[in-house]
Amino acid sequence: VATLPDHPTIPSPLDHFGTIAGAPGVMHRTTELYDYYRTLAAATPRVRVETIGRSEEGREILLVIVADEQTMQRLDHYKAQLSRLADPRTVPESELDAVIADAKPIYMLNGGLHSPEMGSPEMLTELVYRLAVSDEPEVARIRNEVITIINPVSEPDGRDRQVDWYYRY
């Protein structure tokens, strides 16, 4: 993490926010974080943003999905395969190996589960960027073989109140 990949058309957190992710004295409200993810999704087919619900105070709760372009085009297929594997009794034994070989694992990250957990929502902006643009072989392998799903702020009401408190005091 000593260096950040540079991409000519996809903005890094530094490009978007003007500071590196996790810069001292800088915290972002959920709307600012979500705007960055939507900017990434508009810039690359490797990132998708989906609203999965609303908080008690009406704030969005997002999922950010990252994978290679071919996987992103077939997300419904992979979802169906994993759904079949959720109850292996529904998959005939003769098909099981083929379904397992075809399915892609999902790696789920949850950020900001508790409002005082300030670092993960900031750090996840850089992780998503790295997963989307890095040419490093190990990152490309993750992007090609795994579907990464990230909930960057699990509790957006508390996050925004914590950011307000942080800047006030």
Side-chain angles (χ1 to χ4, degrees):
V1 297
T3 62
L4 191 63
D6 188 26
H7 194 281
T9 61
I10 301 172
S12 70
L14 175 61
D15 297 329
H16 186 82
F17 295 116
T19 61
I20 62 169
V26 178
M27 293 290 155
H28 297 97
R29 296 177 61 78
T30 56
T31 53
E32 296 170 304
L33 295 169
Y34 294 171
D35 180 57
Y36 177 65
Y37 293 118
R38 287 189 169 101
T39 299
L40 283 179
T44 176
R46 295 176 177 172
V47 176
R48 181 182 297 178
V49 173
E50 295 182 3
T51 300
I52 60 167
R54 297 232 168 237
S55 69
E56 288 186 18
E57 295 180 5
R59 291 175 179 85
E60 281 186 288
I61 301 172
L62 294 188
L63 287 184
V64 180
I65 305 165
V66 186
D68 68 354
E69 293 90 335
Q70 294 78 22
T71 300
M72 295 299 273
Q73 292 171 357
R74 300 185 69 211
L75 278 179
D76 288 339
H77 168 77
Y78 291 115
K79 181 179 178 181
Q81 293 294 65
L82 291 172
S83 181
R84 292 181 73 193
L85 292 173
D87 185 354
R89 296 172 297 177
T90 64
V91 181
E93 190 171 337
S94 61
E95 296 176 31
L96 190 57
D97 288 339
V99 172
I100 290 170
D102 180 55
K104 288 195 178 192
I106 291 177
Y107 189 78
M108 173 88 181
L109 295 114
N110 221 5
L113 180 59
H114 305 102
S115 56
E117 298 167 356
M118 299 297 283
S120 58
E122 301 292 330
M123 176 280 300
L124 288 169
T125 60
E126 186 173 301
L127 178 62
V128 171
Y129 174 75
R130 286 178 184 279
L131 287 173
V133 306
S134 178
D135 291 327
E136 294 292 325
E138 61 272 11
V139 175
R141 183 171 176 226
I142 292 168
R143 189 173 50 239
N144 295 336
E145 296 179 10
V146 175
I147 299 167
T148 303
I149 299 177
I150 299 172
N151 177 342
V153 182
S154 300
E155 212 289 274
D157 297 337
R159 167 68 185 194
D160 285 351
R161 287 181 184 192
Q162 189 73 15
V163 170
D164 291 345
W165 180 90
Y166 178 83
Y167 281 121
R168 184 173 179 187
Y169 297 105

